[in-house]
Amino acid sequence: MMLSRVDTVYLAAGATDLRKSIDGLAVIVQEHFRLDPFSRHLFVFCNRKKDKIKVLEWGGDGFWLHYKRLEKGRFQWPDGDSHSLAVSQREFRWLLDGLPLHQVDANPEISERTII
């Protein structure tokens, strides 16, 4: 995944049938979420058991479909009825590491950069 060129990460809350391939997931993005699958966003889907995810990414000349299966453990996936949830790249990395989206003890991100 090319996180450096990604604008936003969208999670499909709840469970998604991961038998869907690129076209099926792109239809979900376009028709259910009303988002553009050809944009510079990642679209992430999780199965019912929360041990597998698929990530749909537009690469400029074609789609990438990334797949991860956990051998142990579960993703801390948000529940819901297939709505999209925008998260930061930092929150997405937490999710991939098996952590919840909201880390109360995490250092805050700093957007201002000033050198004295």
Side-chain angles (χ1 to χ4, degrees), residues 73-107:
R74 302 278 181 263
F75 293 107
Q76 299 292 317
W77 200 259
D79 292 324
D81 51 357
S82 299
H83 65 279
S84 65
L85 174 66
V87 299
S88 70
Q89 291 181 24
R90 186 179 195 202
E91 291 170 318
F92 179 52
R93 288 191 302 272
W94 289 336
L95 196 65
L96 290 177
D97 286 337
L99 300 170
L101 286 175
H102 306 289
Q103 296 293 317
V104 292
D105 294 331
N107 291 328

Side-chain angles (χ1 to χ4, degrees), residues 10-16 28 33 43-46 77-78 82-85:
Y10 287 98
L11 307 180
T16 302
I28 291 173
F33 302 158
F43 302 99
V44 190
F45 305 87
C46 188
W77 200 259
S82 299
H83 65 279
S84 65
L85 174 66

Side-chain angles (χ1 to χ4, degrees), residues 1-112:
M1 278 179 283
M2 306 286 277
L3 284 178
S4 61
R5 54 182 216 108
V6 170
D7 291 336
T8 307
V9 178
Y10 287 98
L11 307 180
T16 302
D17 181 357
L18 292 190
R19 293 176 292 180
K20 294 185 184 309
S21 62
I22 290 171
D23 294 333
L25 296 174
V27 166
I28 291 173
V29 169
Q30 194 168 33
E31 304 218 345
H32 293 265
F33 302 158
R34 302 283 185 223
L35 296 169
D36 181 8
F38 298 98
S39 60
R40 291 179 38 156
H41 305 309
L42 292 183
F43 302 99
V44 190
F45 305 87
C46 188
N47 67 337
R48 187 174 314 278
K49 291 170 51 175
K50 299 182 180 181
D51 64 345
K52 299 177 185 93
I53 62 168
K54 281 188 176 180
V55 180
L56 183 67
E57 176 185 16
W58 175 246
D61 60 354
F63 282 102
W64 284 95
L65 186 61
H66 308 278
Y67 179 77
K68 183 170 184 172
R69 180 187 74 194
L70 296 177
E71 295 302 317
K72 284 187 171 184
R74 302 278 181 263
F75 293 107
Q76 299 292 317
W77 200 259
D79 292 324
D81 51 357
S82 299
H83 65 279
S84 65
L85 174 66
V87 299
S88 70
Q89 291 181 24
R90 186 179 195 202
E91 291 170 318
F92 179 52
R93 288 191 302 272
W94 289 336
L95 196 65
L96 290 177
D97 286 337
L99 300 170
L101 286 175
H102 306 289
Q103 296 293 317
V104 292
D105 294 331
N107 291 328
E109 287 193 58
I110 298 173
S111 59
E112 296 122 18

